[in-house]
């Protein structure tokens, strides 16, 4: 069982940056791919970015390409989502997830989920 805890969310003005962290409880974290998803009120959870178990492959939603960067540090059992040039439409609760399928983009492909962290971008 992998427990995930997100942090780093907050309130930021449009054009600003935030870095989200996803800390895992187990050293087996390095065996899992990691994905970031987000959910705004009244909408379905949507894929944001994913990274393979060793960091060698990444995938991004079109809406965040060129602005967000996913990375991981397996020695620290932590994954990151660097978010730059934030827009009001990026406002959502952001979740990290771990699964066995590399760079998966569907939520059902992930086995473990964090509790989420709120990101609010003001205009």
């Amino acid at each position: 069982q992998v427990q995930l805890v997100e942090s780093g969310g907050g309130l930021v003005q449009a054009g600003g940056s935030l870095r989200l962290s996803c800390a895992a409880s187990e050293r087996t974290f390095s065996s899992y791919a990691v994905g970031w998803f987000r959910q705004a009120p009244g909408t379905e959870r949507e894929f944001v970015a994913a990274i393979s178990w060793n960091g060698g492959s990444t995938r991004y939603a079109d809406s965040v390409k060129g602005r967000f960067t996913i990375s991981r540090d397996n020695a620290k059992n932590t994954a990151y989502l660097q978010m730059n040039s934030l827009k009001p439409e990026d406002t959502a609760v952001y979740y990290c997830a771990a699964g066995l399928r590399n760079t998966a983009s569907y939520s059902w492909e992930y086995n473990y989920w964090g509790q989420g962290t709120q990101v609010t971008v003001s205009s």
Side-chain angles (χ1 to χ4, degrees), residues 35-48:
W36 284 95
F37 291 77
R38 65 187 181 186
Q39 188 168 20
T43 68
E44 293 185 355
R45 191 169 297 188
E46 66 171 352
F47 170 75
V48 175

Side-chain angles (χ1 to χ4, degrees), residues 1-4 24-34 53 72 74 77-78 98-100 112:
Q1 185 84 5
V2 178
Q3 294 183 330
L4 304 172
S25 61
E26 300 290 333
R27 281 180 289 182
T28 54
F29 175 71
S30 62
S31 301
Y32 291 89
V34 172
W53 65 273
R72 66 189 298 162
N74 285 341
N77 293 339
T78 303
L100 296 177
Y112 305 104

Side-chain angles (χ1 to χ4, degrees), residues 71-91:
S71 62
R72 66 189 298 162
D73 185 341
N74 285 341
K76 296 182 178 179
N77 293 339
T78 303
Y80 305 96
L81 185 67
Q82 177 67 44
M83 306 186 295
N84 298 329
S85 302
L86 282 161
K87 305 175 181 180
E89 51 263 45
D90 294 319
T91 295

Side-chain angles (χ1 to χ4, degrees), residues 7 15 22 30 32 43 46 49 54-55 68 72 89 96 110 116 118 123:
S7 62
C22 173
S30 62
Y32 291 89
T43 68
E46 66 171 352
N54 65 353
F68 291 12
R72 66 189 298 162
E89 51 263 45
C96 70
Y110 290 88
Q118 176 71 47
S123 57

Side-chain angles (χ1 to χ4, degrees), residues 1-22:
Q1 185 84 5
V2 178
Q3 294 183 330
L4 304 172
V5 178
E6 302 95 335
S7 62
L11 173 64
V12 64
Q13 288 188 332
S17 298
L18 283 174
R19 188 176 82 154
L20 305 183
S21 298
C22 173

